[in-house]
Every structure is written in structure tokens, then in C-alpha cells.
Amino acid sequence: MLLKLKEMFNSKFGSIPKFYVRAPGRVNIIGEHIDYCGYSVLPMAVEQDVLIAVEPVKTYTLQLANTNPLYPLIKTKPLWHNYFLCGVKGIQEHFGLSNLTGMNCLVDGNIPPSSGLSSSSALVCCAGLVTLTVLGRNLSKVELAEICAKSERYIGTEGGGMDQSISFLAEEGTAKLIEFSPLRATDVKLPSGAVFVIANSCVEMNKAATSHFNIRVMECRLAAKLLAKYKSLQWDEVLRLEEVQAKLGISLEEMLLVTEDALHPEPYNPEEICRCLEISLEELRTQILSPNTQDVLIFKLYQRAKHVYSEAARVLQFKKICEEAPEDMVQLLGELMNQSHMSCRDMYECSCPELDQLVDICRKFGAQGSRLTGAGWGGCTVSIVPADKLPSFLANVHKAYYQRSDGSLAPEKQSLFATKPGGGALVFLEA
């Protein structure tokens, strides 16, 4: 890959790159849509990555190109190069620099785009590390992850920090429990008798191009405020569901009971939310809602809070099972993954018919557990499969999902592969 990239760089810029940076994509094994609520998640880096060849230049000009000939032609919003600019901007702002860092960069990568494996965050992280290296500055991996998580929000999605954290903090051979405020990562040893298999539903989901994602973030924020008000806490300072639990000092199981008491399953409209919080519609729109959620007419607060608190508990159970390693470990972990998918589908409503079908096929052919991974509404599933069943599992799933008689699934989007925990972002010099 490096030799090919070096040759393409030379033909593009007429020079040789000085160094290369790689940042991996990730698969979230369990813990969906809870990082931005303040809760721990359990991802691992995949072997697929974004790779950038770099040559610092003396001018204040950034020349950016992509090895994929489709990319300059893709006009979908947001444009791919804006993710690169997020990483550059984050580092420059951190050091208070006003001039653009001069460099020639050629981007390559093999993470399927819009598949829920975090290709966009890998590009942001890669660009941040490129900029830091060109500037000759130093930051810790944790600092880099926090800067990149913050700067990716310039795209317009109110994400948590999982994707950037695992991209920098990943280590080969281990998944990580990522905790927030303060950011830290703990090794989680996965069962040796099982493999994790990723399958692409072939439904692309660009979370920055729709409002689905930000509406969920806002529903969680509103649920947190209503729960805090119900429990006579200072609700206007509360932004995340985890803060309510922390302030009350109770368990996740107890938070589920509080949610049952405080919120009703019927959707809330903006007027009812205003009555509950004793604020005006104008205050709701200007002080709480984000610009792209101000016209939303219904908010499902009960369902979203139930998902978040139950999913946060599943992450902790998953880690505990991995540590205790009981005999039926793979089955127990699989059950948690199945529960997670059900909650994503029914309570968080971030699945789609193709993902549900793919999950069913994976379970039918030997997965102990299978669930959507990433934001959802398309993208990939992740399944835990006993190692001895892997060959037949791959063959059967491929036949059942990808070999459609009408040829409706484009072969270039088809991807089904077993993966091991990979390493994190790094810089390597020109040999």
C-alpha cells in the first residue's frame, strides 16, 4: 500500500512524501448511542484504516488529494475534505495558530464509507496527527483524541468521543472499555474461542447528511433534563443522562425505575416539554435545541432513556463476563449483543429492515449474538461466532444475504470479514 501511495504521490505532486500517518476504523462491539450520554463503550480498532502520505511545504497552502478517483466527483454533503479540515482546525486552534499549515497530502483508505466503521472519524484523527507532526509539536494520545472529538463537531453532528478515542488508544489484540470525563481506556480481553465478524448491510448511512442522529442526541438531552426536574435537581445545568445518575448516586437498574416513574411512553411535543420544565417555547428553541432540531414536532424521551440506561448496563456486564471467563462465556456475550440490537431497533429506532434481516441471517447460521454497530440506519452488523463455525458461517451468510437472484446488491459494497483487534494511529517516516 505504501509503495503504491508513494508512486501516486510522486505523480500528483512531483515529489516524495516525507512521512505517512495511519488511523484505523473501529467496530463497536457493544454500547451504541451512549458515549454522547456520558457512558462507557466497548469498541476495538479494525485492521482497515485511513492512510495519508505527507510532505510539509514552506507556503501556507494545503494541497489535498484522494487516491479514490470517485471522491473529487462525490458531491454529497458534507464533502469528504471537510473531515480532513476538522482535524487540521482542531490542532491549529489548540496551539492558537492563525496561518494554515503548509503541506501536500494524498489520502488513501480501505474502510468502507458510510458503513458504521467510522471512516470519517479515522480521517479526522489522521488529519490531526498529520498537522501535529508537520508542526513538530507533541500531544498525548488522550489529548489528541479529545481535540479530534471536539473538532469533528464542526461537521454538524453532536457525537460523543468513542470513535476518536479508539482510533488513538487502540492496541493490537485487545478491545477497550472507553470511559469519559476524564477519558481513559482499559483493556478487555475477548474470548479466545470466538471471532467477531463484520457484515455490511450495503445500506449507506451518512449520519452528517440527515438529522436522525442529532434528534437522538437532543431526545437524550431533553430526557436528562426532565428526569433531573422530576428528582428536584438543578435541571438547567444537566446535559447528559449519565449526570442524572451521578447526581442521584444510584445504580443503572434504579435509573430505569426512575425513568418508568418520571416519563411516559407516548411521545412528547415541544409544548408539553415546556410545561414540564416551566419554560417558554422560545427558551426551548434557543437555549436547549440545536439549530437542526428546532422544527422537530415529537420527541420520544422514555424510549431513548430506557435504551441508554439498559445499554450502559450491558456494557458493564459484557466487560465483567470477559474478566470472569465462565464456561458459557460466548453464549452469554452473544445474549447481551442480541439484547442490544433489540433495544437499538425498538427503543432507539436506529435500525432498518436490511440490518434486521442481516442480524437474523447471522444468528441463523451460527452467530451466538449479532447486532447493528455504529450509528445505525444502515451500515454494518457485528456478530460473535464460535471459531470452529467460522468457515461455514461466512459461506452461508454470503449466500443468504449477498447472492440475491436479482443482483440488487452492488458487489463493490459487499463486505463480510472476521476481524481481530488492531492497533491505533501512528506516524511512520519515509524509508
Side-chain angles (χ1 to χ4, degrees):
M1 273 176 82
L2 280 184
L3 279 172
K4 190 181 105 200
L5 189 56
K6 184 177 177 176
E7 281 167 22
M8 289 179 86
F9 189 96
N10 194 8
S11 67
K12 179 85 191 160
F13 298 111
S15 54
I16 299 295
K18 291 287 179 289
F19 65 91
Y20 304 85
V21 172
R22 66 123 7 210
R26 62 96 192 96
V27 58
N28 189 24
I29 299 172
I30 196 162
E32 221 57 78
H33 285 284
I34 63 175
D35 57 341
Y36 54 76
C37 296
Y39 283 109
S40 310
V41 289
L42 212 151
M44 66 180 181
V46 292
E47 289 142 25
Q48 285 84 346
D49 54 20
V50 167
L51 195 59
I52 303 181
V54 190
E55 177 193 26
V57 293
K58 294 279 190 284
T59 62
Y60 295 120
T61 307
L62 163 62
Q63 288 202 81
L64 184 61
N66 199 307
T67 60
N68 185 336
L70 282 175
Y71 271 110
L73 306 172
I74 292 174
K75 295 290 181 271
T76 53
K77 294 280 191 264
L79 298 166
W80 72 270
H81 60 253
N82 285 340
Y83 287 101
F84 187 97
L85 294 175
C86 284
V88 175
K89 188 175 163 114
I91 297 298
Q92 294 200 158
E93 284 186 341
H94 180 80
F95 290 111
L97 307 173
S98 51
N99 289 327
L100 193 65
T101 310
M103 49 189 170
N104 296 334
C105 297
L106 182 60
V107 177
D108 193 14
N110 55 5
I111 308 167
S114 303
S115 64
L117 299 179
S118 214
S119 56
S120 49
S121 296
L123 181 53
V124 175
C125 293
C126 223
L129 191 48
V130 162
T131 310
L132 186 73
T133 309
V134 169
L135 291 170
R137 305 283 184 111
N138 283 313
L139 287 170
S140 71
K141 288 178 177 181
V142 166
E143 287 171 313
L144 268 167
E146 290 182 323
I147 290 165
C148 289
K150 195 169 133 205
S151 69
E152 190 169 329
R153 294 184 193 131
Y154 285 125
I155 283 292
T157 46
E158 297 283 330
M162 164 174 57
D163 301 348
Q164 301 81 2
S165 304
I166 190 67
S167 198
F168 283 114
L169 302 173
E171 288 177 72
E172 225 162 293
T174 180
K176 295 276 183 180
L177 179 80
I178 308 265
E179 299 169 87
F180 303 97
S181 310
L183 178 61
R184 55 212 183 278
T186 313
D187 289 359
V188 177
K189 191 171 165 18
L190 298 171
S192 54
V195 283
F196 288 88
V197 178
I198 294 168
N200 193 350
S201 70
C202 302
V203 176
E204 289 199 1
M205 164 53 189
N206 177 342
K207 70 184 178 195
T210 70
S211 56
H212 295 325
F213 187 89
N214 282 351
I215 290 170
R216 296 298 183 279
V217 176
M218 213 41 64
E219 287 173 320
C220 291
R221 183 174 298 175
L222 291 168
K225 289 182 180 296
L226 262 68
L227 289 169
K229 178 96 167 44
Y230 178 80
K231 285 303 219 175
S232 309
L233 299 170
Q234 191 85 41
W235 66 266
D236 51 341
E237 292 171 8
V238 168
L239 289 175
R240 294 194 294 271
L241 286 163
E242 185 275 333
E243 293 166 38
V244 184
Q245 186 200 355
K247 286 182 194 307
L248 293 175
I250 61 177
S251 70
L252 286 161
E253 289 69 26
E254 288 168 303
M255 272 316 305
L256 284 164
L257 297 174
V258 171
T259 302
E260 297 263 349
D261 289 341
L263 304 175
H264 55 67
E266 299 75 34
Y268 287 73
N269 61 31
E271 292 73 18
E272 186 179 3
I273 289 167
C274 291
R275 282 199 302 278
C276 292
L277 296 177
E278 299 173 70
I279 56 171
S280 69
L281 214 46
E282 180 62 16
E283 285 171 307
L284 175 69
R285 289 212 170 104
T286 56
Q287 292 171 26
I288 300 176
L289 297 179
S290 60
N292 63 355
T293 56
Q294 290 183 1
D295 300 324
V296 177
L297 298 176
I298 62 161
F299 298 95
K300 297 188 177 181
L301 309 187
Y302 170 90
Q303 290 82 351
R304 310 314 183 221
K306 289 271 285 194
H307 166 76
V308 170
Y309 290 130
S310 64
E311 186 77 349
R314 282 188 284 273
V315 171
L316 300 180
Q317 283 172 278
F318 197 100
K319 178 176 181 273
K320 190 164 177 268
I321 292 166
C322 287
E323 285 166 351
E324 291 172 359
E327 265 182 38
D328 54 351
M329 179 178 182
V330 175
Q331 187 192 332
L332 293 171
L333 296 178
E335 281 167 14
L336 289 172
M337 290 171 72
N338 290 338
Q339 288 167 19
S340 170
H341 183 77
M342 239 168 12
S343 184
C344 285
R345 182 191 68 203
D346 302 338
M347 302 307 274
Y348 221 72
E349 296 176 277
C350 62
S351 189
C352 67
E354 293 86 352
L355 279 171
D356 295 338
Q357 185 196 1
L358 187 50
V359 159
D360 288 343
I361 286 170
C362 289
R363 288 181 196 156
K364 179 181 169 185
F365 290 116
Q368 288 285 349
S370 187
R371 57 182 292 278
L372 65 83
T373 185
W377 298 288
C380 290
T381 61
V382 59
S383 304
I384 186 170
V385 180
D388 57 353
K389 287 190 178 162
L390 182 64
S392 65
F393 175 83
L394 293 173
N396 286 324
V397 172
H398 188 266
K399 192 175 172 194
Y401 190 77
Y402 296 107
Q403 290 182 330
R404 297 197 178 167
S405 52
D406 61 356
S408 58
L409 291 181
E412 69 274 9
K413 288 186 193 168
Q414 294 179 21
S415 97
L416 174 70
F417 57 92
T419 188
K420 297 194 286 288
L426 50 90
V427 178
F428 31 106
L429 300 174
E430 172 55 36

